[in-house]
């Protein structure tokens, strides 16, 4: 995780010391198909918490992402996605039901999307095809988000200052 000249490196043991979140989620492909059922309970760390770091090991931005900043997540395959402050803090993403049909869930804490680094699914590691860390959008119930917002094999997180 980098911000300016500050860099923090996290392995699996380090990630497990951060504040844990649980949720469901899966990617919906551009053609509307679904290749991951979102009914697994995932263990993850909110991106904002990775940016903050742990109390005994401060992250790159003590308050997490702040207004005007964005965060770029990059996978080992070079694919990257940049999320705005609004997306990270308010979870403004298109949402789909498990059939891949657009839905507008009731605004409750169970349906507010959370950008998170996933590392466990059903009590097991994610495997080498997507892990050990995968960025996804998680919900408190089985819902989907666009596959373009998911990043497998996460290896780099950059906090970007606003202009």
């Amino acid at each position: 995780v980098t911000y300016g000249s500050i860099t923090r490196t996290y392995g699996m043991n380090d990630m497990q010391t951060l504040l844990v979140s649980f949720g469901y989620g899966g990617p919906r492909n551009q053609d509307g198909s679904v290749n991951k059922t979102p009914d697994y309970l995932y263990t993850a760390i909110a991106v904002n918490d990775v940016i903050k770091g742990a109390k005994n090991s401060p992250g790159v931005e003590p308050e997490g992402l702040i207004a005007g900043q964005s965060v770029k997540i990059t996978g080992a395959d070079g694919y990257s996605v940049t999320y705005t402050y609004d997306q990270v803090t308010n979870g403004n993403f298109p949402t789909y039901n498990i059939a891949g049909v657009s839905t507008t869930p009731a605004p409750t804490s169970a349906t507010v999307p959370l950008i998170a680094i996933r590392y466990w699914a059903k009590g097991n590691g994610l495997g080498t095809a997507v892990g050990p860390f995968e960025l996804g959008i998680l919900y408190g119930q089985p819902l989907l988000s666009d596959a373009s917002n998911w990043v497998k094999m996460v290896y780099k997180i950059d906090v970007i200052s606003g202009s």
Side-chain angles (χ1 to χ4, degrees):
V1 180
T2 63
Y3 179 49
S5 63
I6 303 169
T7 299
R8 298 287 183 264
T9 303
Y10 297 104
M12 181 64 76
N13 290 338
D14 302 308
M15 291 290 280
Q16 292 173 337
T17 67
L18 299 173
L19 183 63
V20 175
S21 297
F22 299 96
Y24 302 91
R28 176 190 171 271
N29 297 318
Q30 189 173 14
D31 65 4
S33 64
V34 177
N35 58 5
K36 269 190 197 172
T37 307
D39 59 355
Y40 297 145
L41 182 63
Y42 293 107
T43 304
I45 309 296
V47 165
N48 226 10
D49 290 330
V50 174
I51 293 167
K52 288 179 193 176
K55 289 182 182 179
N56 61 347
S57 178
V60 298
E61 183 68 84
E63 301 303 316
L65 207 62
I66 58 175
Q69 292 177 327
S70 57
V71 62
K72 180 179 178 181
I73 312 292
T74 304
D77 59 0
Y79 181 76
S80 66
V81 179
T82 300
Y83 300 95
T84 65
Y85 169 80
D86 182 57
Q87 289 174 310
V88 172
T89 58
N90 300 316
N92 289 328
F93 293 96
T95 302
Y96 309 91
N97 65 22
I98 59 172
V101 177
S102 181
T103 186
T104 304
T108 67
S109 62
T111 58
V112 173
L114 175 69
I115 300 176
I117 305 292
R118 304 173 332 125
Y119 61 89
W120 290 103
K122 295 174 63 175
N124 297 305
L126 298 179
T128 57
V130 297
F133 303 114
E134 180 183 35
L135 182 120
I137 313 302
L138 300 183
Y139 301 85
Q141 62 187 30
L143 292 170
L144 304 167
S145 56
D146 290 322
S148 60
N149 287 314
W150 290 65
V151 179
K152 62 185 176 181
M153 299 179 283
V154 171
Y155 84 93
K156 188 173 183 185
I157 300 172
D158 294 303
V159 175
I160 303 165
S161 292
S163 49

